[in-house]
Structure formats: C-alpha cells, structure tokens
Amino acid sequence: MCWSLRDGLRDSLVAAAPYGGPIALLREPLRRSPSSRPQLEIYSASGVGIASFPWKSGPVVHLGWTVSDELLCIQEDGSVLIYDLFGSFKRHFSMGQEVVQSQVLEAKVFHSPYGTGVAIVTGSSRFTLATNIDDLKLRRLPEVPGNTCLLILDPDLRFPIEDPCVLIGELDGVRIISSTNQELLQEVPLVCQDIFKIASMAPGALLLEAHREYEVTCLLACAWRVSKCLVLQAASFGKCFLTDFSPDQFVSTCRELRVLNAVRESSVGLPLTHAQFKQMTLQVLIDRLVYRQFYPLAIEICRYLKIPDYQGVSRVLKHWASCKVQQKDLSDEAIARAVCVKVGDSPGVSYSDIAAKAYECGRTELAIKLLDFEARSGEQVPLLLKMKRSQLALSKAVESGDTDLVYTVVNYLKNEMNRGDFFMTLRNQPVALSLYRQFCKLQEQETLKDLYNQDDNHQELANYYVTASYKEKRLESRLSLLQSAVDEYNKAKNEFAAKATMEALLALGLHKQAEQLYRDFRVPDKRYWWLKLKSLAEKEEWEELEKFSKSKKSPIGYLAFVEVCIKCNNKYEAKKYVSKVTPEQKVKAHLAVSDLEGAADAAIERRNEAEMGAVLSRCSASDRLVIDRLNRARAGAAKK
C-alpha cells in the first residue's frame, strides 16, 4: 500500500468500495472535541491519497460506498451524508424521526438490483431499511429480540493475519486490507485446479506440460501471477496445432488482461480480477477511469480495444472538456484553444454541450468562444439565447441560412425586447428584417406599418395605405387611407429630390446650402456624411475634408475616410485618419495605406490570429523583420 498510516487501522472506521474501489478512513469517529476533530481520508485501492478533510458534522457510526463510488457517512442521529470520490459534499437525507430519537446502534450499506441501500438498527432494537437511496422509501421492521446472532464458520479455512485488518466482500473473493498491504483471498477456480494439480490428466494440464517441454525457459515457480503467463503461453502454443480454431477469444482475453494490468498499477489503483471486470463491463471501467480523471489511460484503452468513438474516445473527451472549462487558473482564450486542439472534429462531441457546461460555471465569454467551434447553428442559437446574447444569436441564425431558425430567434426577440429595441435590432440584420416583413404581410399588418414608420420608408408606407384602403367598406375610411398614401408618396418624392439636390450643391461647393437642406429634410446622418465625404475627396478639397472630419464624431467611422482617400489616390491624406479608426478596424486601415509595421503592431496588440495572418499574407521577402515579429507573436499565443 502507498499510504503511511502511523497508527494503522486502530480506532478507525474503514470502508472500501466493491470492484477494487476506493477506501475511506475516519479516525476516532466518536471524538466530540471541537478543538480536535476526526479526519476523513479517501484513498485509491492502492493507498494513494485522493482527498482529506476534518469531519465537522455529528458522530459517525458507519461508512459505506455506493455502486457509483459515492461515500455514505451514517451518523448516530440517522442522518446520511453523501460525498463524491474527491470529498465534495453532494447531499444528505434522514432515516426518519424515530431514528433521531432512539439513535443508531449499527448500520450497513448494501447493494441490490434496486440500487444502493442502507439498513440500520436503533437503540430500541428496531430495523429501518431503505432499499434505494436514490428513490428513498423507508421501511420499519418489527422489533428484534436481544442477544440473537448468526455466525457461520468454515473449520477448514485458515488464513493467518498479523495486523488489524478490514475484510471487504467481492464478487469472487474477499479483499483483506491492512495498514501495510492488500490481498485478495479467493478459492482457486476448478479449471485452474484441473491444470495445476499433481498428476492431472486434464487436457489443459497436458497442453501446459507439452509447452513446458517445448520451451524449457518457462520452467518458473507456479505463483498465481506467473501461472497466468504460463497458461497463456501454453494456449498460444496449442492453437498452432488446430486448423479450425478461431483465435478471437484468445486475442480478446489477452487484450483484457493487458488492460487489467494497466489499471492495477498503484498510480491508478483499480485491482480488478477478470471475473469482476466481466461483471462490471468495459463501459463501467471506462466511466470509473474518467470519473477519476485518468483521461489519457481511458483514451488509450478505448483505442486499444477498438471501442466505437461515440462510446469510447469521444465520450472521454467530452468529459475531459467539461472538467477543463472549470479550471479557474486558466484564461478563457487558453481553455478554448486547448479544447479545440484536443477535441478537434471528434464525432459525437458537441461543442454546444461543452459551452453549456462553461455557462453553468459562470464563464459566459468562454462559452461564446467554444460555440464558435460548433458547426451546427441549430446547436449554437438556443444556448446564445439562454445566455441573453440575442444579437449574436440572430447573426448566427442568419449565417446558417435556415429560415426556420431565423424566425425562431426573431420571435424570441419580439417577446423579450421592447418594440423600439426590437425594430432597431432587426435593422442591423437585413435578412432577418426581410423575413419578418414577409411574416407581417401575412400575419401582422399593423406591425408592418410600424416597421415602415420606424425606417421612414415612405414609399412602402404609401403602398401599405393603398392596400389597406381596398379592405375598407366605408367610403370615408377608404378616402382617408388613400389621402395618407398620397401624403407618403409626396414625402418619398421629396426625399429623393432632396438627395439629388444635395449631391448637386456639394458638387458646386455650396456646403452651407447643402447642410441646410440636410437639416430641413431630416436626411439621415450617415447618408449626408457619405455624400459630403465623397464630394470633398473627388474635388480634392483635402483641407475642407479634414475640418469636416473634426466637426463631430463621424457616424460612418473613420475607416471610410481612409478608404475614400486611397480611392482618390491620396495616401498622404489617408494616413491622417488611421489613428482615429477603432481598434477592430486598425489592421485594415494600416494595410490600406501599406503600413505593414503599423498593421503588425495592431494585430499583435489585439492578439488576433486572423489579423496576424492577414498581415503576413501582405508581406514580401523584403519584410523579414515584420514576418519574424508576427511569427514570434503567433508562437507565444499558441503556448499560452
């Protein structure tokens, strides 16, 4: 055993889980001094420490394990506290008020086809039973007569034990755990007796003897572990003489024994026998390795035994990623990169599931980064809506090209947002707005009118009034709607005329008159700024253009100034506006004026892989210094 127990197992409660499971040890469980509390320790079956913490609850009568490696701590008052393998508290339940009053004398944890159960005897000599702790139903049994017991001994069984020990019943034997070692006591199977007993004439014994004669080097002591090696060698030797023998069972057994040897290593601590392994099943073994976070070993076993990805490697990777997103010492960027590299395109692993786990842990930004790796928009959108990232959800739905998904998001936004914000959000997504207009034409005519009003779309508003007039039966109502249509048609015509007049005034250099027209007709800011920017650049009025850029914050941004100046072949003027561009557009602006160093600085500062790649694609062989800087920055980001 790897542990070092100074006082051995004396004055301790000890419980070991079946199938070579973990060991729990509580020293001096009835100690009540608040200044010196009992220590609850959890070890692997090989004695490697897993968890340790002071026991702060009431006196413990019994410890036991569930079939899923959860620790049950049964207290004197009938409370049962449940901890996971790593010592984290999960939940608790009570065995009833009657137990609280009469206290627990003795308790046992047992396993049955119904699940893990608990049985206790109270101070009033009454039994209380729960056959399945996951579906708690308490049963009271009649009073038990005092001084009654049942003991069964086998007079032929002798096994000397020097130190205090704990006996744990297993499927095919008894685990004997002491402070220094662990042994498995089991009856030698009949098939092994037939092979190894003196003068045996069983086929297996004869084959083994033939192999010994054939290979003298295998004359080894017939220890239990070595015997397996001898028997396998003999079986391999014997099958060479058979023509119609399928080697599948032999190969399968060899693979299983190799897996068992791997999990029996002290660093893993799962001392399973082959019979226990077969009863447990391979899937449960993989689950136990994953639960203990032995991910590389679990993946290696899955690949070695050729388990289908969705049952094996992908399932392990999914669990690994779910644990990875909970690591608080790593940044969102580092975790997202690590998950992407490790998981890749593994079948059966959903990035949206991993992102959902990150969101549950309070890491919303990490969840968004992980969703970028999710290929299925239908999986991205619901989680984004749950995270209240509605605009991003709408963008993803539009990118997917799935109209049903777009309608789903639009309907969600309509119910969650106020009317003004809802319309403004749709205005930023033309595809979604177009689909919503189609829906409104069929279902919500009044909403369609509000949309046209919001957009100042006088032409379509006029068309709406004309269509609506045909549905009116009263002449006065119909005339009123048609008059509204005439008014809107006039506004639409005037708006078009105002735009054309403004372009003409700006071309003539009559800026004050153009600005007055812009105010009178309430021309949108963006439209006016674009018209004036193009006009001043085409006329090469650079000084006037610079004054205009400083008049107020540009509603069209400053990248537009850079691009228009470049279009008019004036790189010198374009460079004046690069510093005013937002950080997200800095790289694009520097590249527009052929400033590779500035573009590299901006990309490195933002640590943006795509932007660094864009700058590298523009570099030539003469830009070696810039290329080296970018490559170093990319390598540094990859290490993090």
Side-chain angles (χ1 to χ4, degrees):
M1 299 292 282
C2 297
W3 61 23
S4 178
L5 303 179
R6 186 179 60 185
D7 299 323
L9 301 179
R10 287 192 300 273
D11 300 324
S12 300
L13 278 180
V14 182
Y19 296 95
I23 303 169
L25 188 149
L26 181 63
R27 297 189 177 280
E28 300 181 7
L30 299 179
R31 187 193 301 166
R32 300 175 186 267
S33 171
S35 61
S36 178
R37 299 181 182 277
Q39 192 77 7
L40 180 58
E41 300 167 356
I42 300 176
Y43 297 91
S44 72
S46 58
V48 175
I50 297 176
S52 177
F53 56 93
W55 184 256
K56 298 180 180 179
S57 192
V60 177
V61 174
H62 183 73
L63 298 176
W65 292 90
T66 69
V67 290
S68 55
D69 283 355
E70 292 177 337
L71 178 61
L72 304 184
C73 303
I74 305 172
Q75 299 186 153
E76 274 186 347
D77 63 358
S79 297
V80 181
L81 282 64
I82 304 178
Y83 294 82
D84 69 12
L85 178 64
F86 303 100
S88 298
F89 177 76
K90 297 191 69 174
R91 61 189 177 91
H92 78 283
F93 63 88
S94 173
M95 294 296 288
Q97 189 60 35
E98 180 184 334
V99 178
V100 175
Q101 295 171 354
S102 55
Q103 300 287 287
V104 177
L105 285 183
E106 190 173 355
K108 292 294 179 185
V109 175
F110 62 91
H111 307 117
S112 73
Y114 303 105
T116 299
V118 174
I120 63 172
V121 180
T122 66
S124 58
S125 300
R126 293 180 66 88
F127 274 106
T128 299
L129 183 70
T131 54
N132 183 1
I133 62 170
D134 294 321
D135 182 18
L136 194 63
K137 295 176 182 177
L138 300 178
R139 295 172 58 195
R140 312 292 179 196
L141 300 182
E143 186 174 327
V144 180
N147 301 320
T148 300
C149 66
L150 181 64
L151 180 64
I152 300 176
L153 295 175
D154 184 349
D156 297 325
L157 181 59
R158 297 288 186 272
F159 191 81
I161 299 173
E162 296 180 359
D163 299 327
C165 63
V166 177
L167 305 182
I168 307 298
E170 291 283 7
L171 172 72
D172 53 350
V174 178
R175 281 166 72 190
I176 304 172
I177 301 172
S178 71
S179 60
T180 56
N181 54 38
Q182 178 176 197
E183 297 174 280
L184 179 67
L185 178 63
Q186 63 177 163
E187 182 182 4
V188 178
L190 290 175
V191 64
C192 292
Q193 293 181 33
D194 288 341
I195 293 175
F196 293 107
K197 71 182 179 182
I198 298 173
S200 173
M201 298 300 291
L206 296 175
L207 178 61
L208 179 61
E209 188 61 32
H211 175 256
R212 279 174 169 163
E213 292 297 327
Y214 179 79
E215 192 173 316
V216 178
T217 56
C218 276
L219 290 173
L220 302 170
C222 294
W224 175 243
R225 186 174 181 86
V226 178
S227 297
K228 290 183 179 178
C229 175
L230 286 172
V231 171
L232 283 174
Q233 288 175 350
S236 179
F237 171 73
K239 69 182 177 64
C240 298
F241 298 94
L242 300 175
T243 57
D244 58 348
F245 175 75
S246 174
D248 293 347
Q249 186 177 358
F250 176 80
V251 173
S252 175
T253 302
C254 289
R255 287 178 175 272
E256 289 171 354
L257 291 176
R258 188 174 180 185
V259 167
L260 290 176
N261 285 337
V263 300
R264 286 169 185 161
E265 290 291 332
S266 60
S267 57
V268 181
L270 281 172
L272 289 170
T273 65
H274 190 261
Q276 291 170 10
F277 168 71
K278 290 305 236 182
Q279 178 72 16
M280 173 191 282
T281 73
L282 176 60
Q283 289 299 325
V284 174
L285 175 59
I286 297 299
D287 287 341
R288 289 201 171 191
L289 291 173
V290 166
Y291 184 48
R292 288 162 169 77
Q293 300 182 5
F294 290 112
Y295 301 114
L297 178 59
I299 290 174
E300 188 177 349
I301 289 173
C302 290
R303 288 174 176 161
Y304 179 65
L305 297 180
K306 299 178 181 179
I307 303 173
D309 282 342
Y310 71 93
Q311 292 179 333
V313 174
S314 295
R315 192 161 58 92
V316 176
L317 287 174
K318 181 180 177 181
H319 194 284
W320 168 82
S322 297
C323 289
K324 188 74 175 177
V325 299
Q326 299 177 54
Q327 287 188 254
K328 298 180 180 178
D329 57 329
L330 294 177
S331 67
D332 293 344
E333 188 71 36
I335 292 176
R337 192 184 305 115
V339 170
C340 178
V341 170
K342 196 81 171 178
V343 175
D345 297 325
S346 300
V349 181
S350 169
Y351 281 102
S352 61
D353 290 342
I354 302 170
K357 186 66 178 179
Y359 178 62
E360 288 174 13
C361 298
R363 304 188 71 163
T364 304
E365 293 305 317
L366 172 58
I368 292 173
K369 290 179 184 294
L370 290 170
L371 280 177
D372 287 337
F373 303 127
E374 176 59 67
R376 298 165 296 174
S377 298
E379 298 292 326
Q380 292 176 311
V381 169
L383 184 57
L384 288 170
L385 292 177
K386 185 178 178 181
M387 294 190 294
K388 307 297 182 185
R389 298 303 177 101
S390 51
Q391 296 197 17
L392 183 56
L394 185 58
S395 298
K396 295 289 186 183
V398 170
E399 289 172 11
S400 73
D402 185 342
T403 54
D404 289 339
L405 193 59
V406 176
Y407 277 127
T408 299
V409 179
V410 168
N411 189 54
Y412 175 87
L413 298 181
K414 179 185 173 185
N415 295 329
E416 290 292 317
M417 293 180 165
N418 63 55
R419 205 172 185 81
D421 291 342
F422 173 60
F423 287 160
M424 287 300 294
T425 301
L426 290 184
R427 287 182 67 181
N428 295 326
Q429 291 287 349
V431 174
L433 179 58
S434 176
L435 287 171
Y436 187 59
R437 281 175 179 160
Q438 293 296 326
F439 170 77
C440 290
K441 284 179 181 178
L442 298 173
Q443 303 288 339
E444 299 179 4
Q445 291 287 320
E446 282 299 314
T447 305
L448 187 64
K449 183 178 75 171
D450 294 339
L451 275 172
Y452 292 145
N453 270 320
Q454 179 84 9
D455 294 341
D456 291 329
N457 192 337
H458 301 294
Q459 182 73 32
E460 289 295 338
L461 196 55
N463 293 340
Y464 168 81
Y465 284 129
V466 170
T467 303
S469 69
Y470 285 103
K471 299 176 182 178
E472 289 292 338
K473 294 181 179 179
R474 294 176 61 248
L475 181 61
E476 294 83 354
S477 300
R478 182 174 293 183
L479 289 173
S480 176
L481 288 169
L482 288 172
Q483 183 58 53
S484 297
V486 170
D487 294 341
E488 295 300 329
Y489 279 130
N490 286 331
K491 289 179 184 177
K493 183 178 179 181
N494 289 341
E495 210 172 74
F496 178 78
K499 179 177 179 293
T501 305
M502 251 194 318
E503 286 178 336
L505 291 172
L506 289 170
L508 294 171
L510 301 174
H511 299 295
K512 289 186 178 178
Q513 291 87 335
E515 189 169 346
Q516 187 62 45
L517 198 63
Y518 148 66
R519 291 198 184 98
D520 290 346
F521 282 86
R522 297 179 182 177
V523 176
D525 287 351
K526 288 185 178 181
R527 184 178 298 170
Y528 173 68
W529 273 68
W530 269 111
L531 288 172
K532 189 165 183 178
L533 168 59
K534 290 178 180 177
S535 174
L536 292 174
E538 288 169 359
K539 293 178 65 180
E540 299 186 352
E541 294 184 10
W542 306 116
E543 188 176 342
E544 195 66 34
L545 179 61
E546 189 172 0
K547 289 180 183 178
F548 175 56
S549 72
K550 296 177 180 177
S551 61
K552 69 173 187 177
K553 185 177 180 181
S554 169
I556 59 174
Y558 293 95
L559 181 61
F561 283 76
V562 175
E563 292 175 340
V564 169
C565 290
I566 291 296
K567 191 175 181 180
C568 294
N569 301 313
N570 195 329
K571 188 184 293 186
Y572 174 78
E573 289 294 328
K575 287 181 178 180
K576 292 181 180 180
Y577 305 103
V578 171
S579 61
K580 296 183 178 182
V581 171
T582 59
E584 294 80 9
Q585 298 178 323
K586 270 280 197 290
V587 172
K588 193 172 182 180
H590 281 292
L591 290 176
V593 298
S594 303
D595 179 12
L596 292 177
E597 290 189 5
D601 290 339
I604 292 171
E605 183 178 349
R606 279 170 47 77
R607 300 178 181 177
N608 189 299
E609 181 76 21
E611 291 179 348
M612 286 190 270
V615 179
L616 280 170
S617 68
R618 294 282 294 273
C619 292
S620 62
S622 61
D623 303 310
R624 177 50 54 192
L625 292 176
V626 176
I627 294 172
D628 290 343
R629 281 183 60 213
L630 288 167
N631 284 334
R632 284 197 301 272
R634 294 175 83 181
K639 288 180 181 178
K640 294 180 181 178

